[in-house]
Amino acid sequence: MSDANEPTGNAHQAWQRALDEGRFLIQRCGGCAQAVFQPRELCPHCGHGRLAFEAPAGTGTVYATTVVRRKPAEGGDYNVALIDLDEGCRLMSRVEGVPPAEVRIGQRVAARVQVSKDGKGLVLFDPLTAATATPAGAA
């Protein structure tokens, strides 16, 4: 059963397949070189149709955050955040590894992919600390 609110189209399907395989990808425009997220067929910056997938560094900064309240029996509170990736695009996700109310605007985070039992990949973020911060491309 499909969800009418779920984005459709080849770009989104390709992105979700990669995510289901554990790979987090964004797009970069071949016309203006801007990073693009959500996956789409045309660049939202210049309208160019040549968007290529690439792996981002995976690091970013919390732009906005809120706590969604739930009963403990339903899994408890969780965080929803807007993350500015270092590549220049923004996405909505969750920051985990700290209590939801402790996520802060300006906090540095790193992406990871979590694949659910039904095989669907999801991008989540963990706080970066001085001990876990690694420059992009470093092994």
Side-chain angles (χ1 to χ4, degrees), residues 75-125:
D77 297 346
Y78 66 96
N79 166 271
V80 175
L82 294 175
I83 308 294
D84 285 339
L85 291 179
D86 291 346
E87 286 77 9
C89 53
R90 181 176 293 158
L91 64 132
M92 183 181 293
S93 183
R94 295 191 320 249
V95 177
E96 297 194 332
V98 294
E102 292 184 17
V103 177
R104 298 285 180 241
I105 293 171
Q107 184 174 16
R108 294 287 295 159
V109 292
R112 65 179 162 87
V113 175
Q114 178 176 305
V115 180
S116 67
K117 292 177 185 173
D118 65 355
K120 288 290 185 189
L122 176 69
V123 178
L124 298 172
F125 288 84

Side-chain angles (χ1 to χ4, degrees), residues 47-65:
H48 201 281
R50 198 176 67 210
L51 295 168
F53 283 104
E54 68 179 34
T59 51
T61 304
V62 175
Y63 174 80
T65 182

Side-chain angles (χ1 to χ4, degrees), residues 32-67:
C32 68
Q34 292 277 335
V36 174
F37 190 84
Q38 290 274 347
R40 54 189 80 206
E41 304 300 323
L42 298 174
C43 177
H45 305 287
C46 71
H48 201 281
R50 198 176 67 210
L51 295 168
F53 283 104
E54 68 179 34
T59 51
T61 304
V62 175
Y63 174 80
T65 182
T66 191
V67 176

